[in-house]
Amino acid sequence: MKLLQFALPPLPYYIASGHEDHGPGMVHVDRCNIGLFDLLAVEEGELLVTEDGRSYEVGPGQALILRPDAHHYGTAPTRLRTRCYWLHFKHDGYWTATDERLPLYRDPRGAWNGGDASTGEELDSAHDADWKMNAPLFSVQMPQYADLVEPARTFELLGQLTALTSSGQVGGALWRQQILFQELLQQLSAGLDARSTSPSAACAAQAAAYLRRHYREDISARAMSDSLNFHSVYIARCMQKEFGCSPKEYLLRYRIGQSKLLLLRTDYPVSRIAGEVGFNQAAYFASCFAKYEGLSPRSYRQRFSHA
């Protein structure tokens, strides 16, 4: 199954939508590289569409997302009366198409583990240096072509989005459209959420929670294994699969993140901050910080000082 993966933020955003009711014989338009994602959701009938050589028959209760960088066209005239919604949206961040679920973690230098950030929009603009306190990036995946998990709710959302177009370019209506669109995206990705309840995902989530709770302490693989009742090798395998990194790497990155907050919000000396976030030696803390942030803890703090 082809999946579309979006790095967030920024969030995908709604452009326009509509509802169509056609008799038999309708052919989808022929378009190439339109620069917009085109969501098609069928209430009744069928849509016969080909994208880059792959043909789809979108039936009732199904949806297809056509890519902004591909060539799509009607495979053949429809054989049935067809009622469907179309919706255009954009995503100005990094996205990719993949055949498998990828780790949901982004490393400090902007690359996604399991993906190639260089193939899409750069995650950070040229002037956005790594030392800034940015929102943590994560990713969302959704099937490009799939049965709708809750078709009634999906069509309700599409109907509300489309109805709001009659309100014109009024701020309140535009804001409401974006809120409804985000809920629609959640609906589209819901079919993949079963993965979050898999044994490996549950183990990885428990391990990550354990590391966040105890990050100020000396954490051993044995202690975490005993606490979670999972073998340390299994924990490491699960975290690599779900987060794209080892438990040790996850802990280190979390400690660095917490230290950045203390550097900004307190006047504690660097040696104290090192101890507050679980480093036994200030020199090792400074070395790790420089490795991931590209500058020393003191330099990081000075960038935000008034003097």
Side-chain angles (χ1 to χ4, degrees):
M1 174 174 59
K2 184 65 69 176
L3 304 173
L4 300 176
Q5 174 157 315
F6 300 89
L8 309 178
L11 296 173
Y13 56 93
Y14 171 87
I15 299 293
S17 62
H19 184 266
E20 297 183 349
D21 188 340
H22 297 282
M26 187 271 289
V27 180
H28 192 76
V29 294
D30 188 324
R31 294 289 185 268
C32 184
N33 300 322
I34 64 173
L36 297 170
F37 289 95
D38 187 2
L39 167 66
L40 304 172
V42 175
E43 288 183 292
E44 175 187 345
E46 63 183 3
L47 285 176
L48 309 176
V49 183
T50 295
E51 179 184 73
D52 282 357
R54 182 173 181 177
S55 296
Y56 300 91
E57 293 190 13
V58 190
Q62 293 185 320
L64 171 67
I65 302 176
L66 298 170
R67 293 169 47 166
D69 60 345
H71 176 210
H72 63 258
Y73 56 90
T75 310
T78 57
R79 298 156 292 191
L80 306 167
R81 178 196 177 191
T82 299
R83 297 169 57 243
C84 64
Y85 282 96
W86 59 267
L87 183 148
H88 290 165
F89 69 94
K90 286 193 70 174
H91 181 54
D92 291 332
Y94 167 73
W95 69 273
T96 188
T98 177
D99 290 318
E100 62 183 16
R101 298 209 72 174
L102 302 177
L104 307 183
Y105 176 77
R106 175 207 164 191
D107 75 26
R109 287 164 295 282
W112 284 87
N113 288 333
D116 180 8
S118 64
T119 61
E121 299 283 344
E122 287 298 324
L123 289 175
D124 292 325
S125 60
H127 66 276
D128 189 13
D130 285 337
W131 50 265
K132 287 187 177 180
M133 286 294 292
N134 295 318
L137 292 183
F138 61 100
S139 69
V140 168
Q141 285 187 322
M142 60 191 67
Q144 185 177 6
Y145 169 58
D147 294 328
L148 298 172
V149 176
E150 297 184 36
R153 179 56 180 160
T154 300
F155 290 124
E156 180 184 359
L157 289 169
L158 286 165
Q160 291 175 354
L161 277 164
T162 302
L164 281 171
T165 59
S166 61
S167 300
Q169 301 298 306
V170 179
L174 295 175
W175 178 233
R176 179 62 179 158
Q177 282 178 325
Q178 299 304 330
I179 294 173
L180 290 170
F181 176 62
Q182 299 310 318
E183 183 178 348
L184 176 63
L185 291 184
Q186 287 184 314
Q187 288 287 327
L188 295 174
S189 64
L192 300 177
D193 288 343
R195 177 179 184 260
S196 64
T197 60
S198 69
S200 65
C203 174
Q206 291 180 49
Y210 178 91
L211 293 171
R212 293 194 300 270
R213 284 197 306 270
H214 300 280
Y215 75 94
R216 293 185 178 89
E217 309 165 15
D218 287 329
I219 300 176
S220 68
R222 177 64 180 273
M224 184 166 65
S225 177
D226 290 344
S227 176
L228 301 180
N229 292 317
F230 291 116
H231 194 281
S232 58
V233 174
Y234 179 70
I235 292 173
R237 186 184 306 125
C238 292
M239 290 202 71
Q240 187 66 45
K241 177 182 177 182
E242 302 298 326
F243 294 102
C245 61
S246 67
K248 181 179 179 180
E249 185 79 1
Y250 184 96
L251 176 62
L252 182 58
R253 296 177 192 275
Y254 188 76
R255 284 172 167 169
I256 294 297
Q258 294 303 303
S259 73
K260 290 166 72 175
L261 293 175
L262 290 176
L263 286 166
L264 290 178
R265 300 183 62 183
T266 74
D267 292 325
Y268 295 165
V270 171
S271 58
R272 176 175 175 179
I273 290 176
E276 290 281 344
V277 299
F279 287 90
N280 293 325
Q281 298 180 353
Y284 179 59
F285 162 64
S287 174
C288 292
F289 192 98
K291 174 183 176 182
Y292 286 100
E293 298 301 321
L295 71 174
S296 70
R298 287 187 176 85
S299 296
Y300 177 87
R301 172 178 274 167
Q302 287 170 0
R303 287 185 181 272
F304 299 96
S305 64
H306 181 68

